[in-house]
Amino acid sequence: MAYRVYAMDFSFYNSMGIYSFETRCEMLKEIGYDAMHLSIWHGERWRDAAKLGSVKGKYGLDVAGVYVVLDLSLGESHPRNEGILKMLETLEGCSTVELAIQSAGSHLRPSDPAGDDAVVKWLEKALEICERRNIDILLYTHLSFWVERHEDAVRLCKRLSHPRLGIVFCGYHWYAVDGSNLAGILDEVAPYLKQVNLSGSRRNPHGFGNVATIEPLDEGELDNFALLGQLKRIGYDGMIGFQGWSEGGDAYLKLSRSLQAFRDMERRLEAHPHWAELKLLP
């Protein structure tokens, strides 16, 4: 089975600017992607969200999701956080919202369960809207954010037990946080896993967060072939995206390379599934 693929729009940022919404869609269609993606952040790009309803008809692409950031240290009623709820009420052309939770409150460190009650309260309000509008919220793990580990996302999903709440497995952020126990983490995440994104990466103090780089899939030391084998093992069959944050440069070229590398991984895994069965070093 060939996975359906998308590119997060981070791939289209570089030090000179950001490619337009229309150009991003045109490039992705020409390269051979199945879906596009939109980062709304704290609400800076609501205007582009209004264009999502026309993407399928105009470009022949699906919309994999929109990415937003919740920061409860600003207060639950802060315009940025209220804006996410307003977006859920009006979003068209997309049924997936990727939610990165930057903070659950002031002075809380990443993964601190003391923030659970505040986040659950906010999510309950958001999920009421999602029920009415058939939208999924997928928790997006992020280095140095409050939901930093996939275990944090699993904890929230178990507590809320809501069919509209799921998880994005973020290959880079798993690797950057500690990069260990992949099989065990994927087994925990599997019941809630609705989306995946991958990156090439290598440990480097000049990388993102002074921890590791984010690169096309044909670069780095992170073994995405073995990671893909683990996704196959747990039966994941949803879309897979390529992250692209901080890659910069010629977006078309790098996205072409990542897609070509990914399709080659799929080919090898289909022909030789046992190749992905890595053993721990002694």
Side-chain angles (χ1 to χ4, degrees), residues 155-269:
R155 187 176 73 246
L156 292 170
C157 284
K158 284 182 175 179
R159 177 165 167 180
L160 282 155
S161 188
H162 195 289
R164 287 289 174 185
L165 183 64
I167 294 174
V168 184
F169 179 81
C170 306
Y172 171 78
H173 291 289
W174 160 76
Y175 177 73
V177 170
D178 65 19
S180 65
N181 190 31
L182 176 61
I185 289 172
L186 285 177
D187 285 339
E188 282 192 58
V189 168
Y192 314 103
L193 184 60
K194 296 188 178 182
Q195 204 131 280
V196 169
N197 65 61
L198 303 177
S199 306
S201 184
R202 72 189 77 223
R203 303 281 178 186
N204 190 310
H206 300 294
F208 178 76
N210 305 119
V211 175
T213 61
I214 299 172
E215 306 182 43
L217 291 188
D218 59 356
E219 295 285 347
E221 63 188 11
L222 169 55
D223 189 345
N224 281 296
F225 174 74
L227 198 165
L228 185 59
Q230 289 295 323
L231 290 170
K232 287 272 193 180
R233 178 186 63 81
I234 65 170
Y236 178 72
D237 60 2
M239 278 201 284
I240 292 183
F242 310 138
Q243 195 196 115
W245 175 258
S246 78
E247 286 182 12
D250 183 339
Y252 187 102
L253 177 60
K254 292 187 175 182
L255 286 168
S256 298
R257 284 168 49 194
S258 284
L259 182 56
Q260 182 178 354
F262 182 75
R263 293 303 185 206
D264 186 65
M265 290 178 202
E266 286 185 306
R267 177 193 61 77
R268 285 182 278 134
L269 193 58

Side-chain angles (χ1 to χ4, degrees), residues 36 48 58 135 155 184 223 264 280:
M36 60 84 69
D48 279 347
K58 192 170 182 179
I135 294 171
R155 187 176 73 246
D223 189 345
D264 186 65
L280 291 176

Side-chain angles (χ1 to χ4, degrees), residues 3-9 11-12 21 24-38 52 55-56 59-65 93-94 96 98 195 238-242 255 259 263:
Y3 283 98
R4 299 180 69 242
V5 293
Y6 68 98
M8 299 187 74
D9 70 350
S11 303
F12 294 100
F21 183 95
R24 283 177 261 153
C25 291
E26 291 170 5
M27 284 189 180
L28 290 173
K29 182 63 177 178
E30 182 170 301
I31 296 168
Y33 283 79
D34 299 295
M36 60 84 69
H37 170 277
L38 177 65
L52 294 176
V55 167
K56 184 71 172 179
Y59 304 103
L61 293 169
D62 291 324
V63 180
C94 177
T96 299
E98 301 172 348
Q195 204 131 280
M239 278 201 284
I240 292 183
F242 310 138
L255 286 168
L259 182 56
R263 293 303 185 206

Side-chain angles (χ1 to χ4, degrees), residues 40-151:
I40 294 178
W41 299 100
H42 298 97
E44 291 86 343
R45 299 169 71 191
W46 297 127
R47 188 176 301 174
D48 279 347
K51 303 175 183 177
L52 294 176
S54 65
V55 167
K56 184 71 172 179
K58 192 170 182 179
Y59 304 103
L61 293 169
D62 291 324
V63 180
V66 298
Y67 172 88
V68 295
V69 179
L70 177 69
D71 185 354
L72 290 178
S73 71
L74 301 172
E76 185 180 342
S77 60
H78 190 278
R80 286 182 175 182
N81 299 327
E82 285 291 324
I84 298 173
L85 299 178
K86 291 177 182 176
M87 181 201 70
L88 292 173
E89 292 280 14
T90 59
L91 187 64
E92 299 291 344
C94 177
S95 60
T96 299
V97 173
E98 301 172 348
L99 179 70
I101 305 178
Q102 185 172 358
S103 174
S106 300
H107 312 302
L108 290 176
R109 295 181 60 80
S111 303
D112 186 345
D116 286 10
D117 287 348
V119 169
V120 165
K121 179 183 175 184
W122 189 91
L123 283 171
E124 285 174 339
K125 290 202 302 184
L127 289 166
E128 285 181 12
I129 302 170
C130 292
E131 285 179 0
R132 287 190 280 105
R133 305 213 64 239
N134 296 319
I135 294 171
D136 287 336
I137 292 179
L138 307 186
L139 299 175
Y140 188 104
T141 59
H142 192 293
L143 177 69
S144 80
F145 279 22
W146 182 75
V147 173
E148 183 177 55
R149 295 173 173 270
H150 292 89
E151 296 94 326

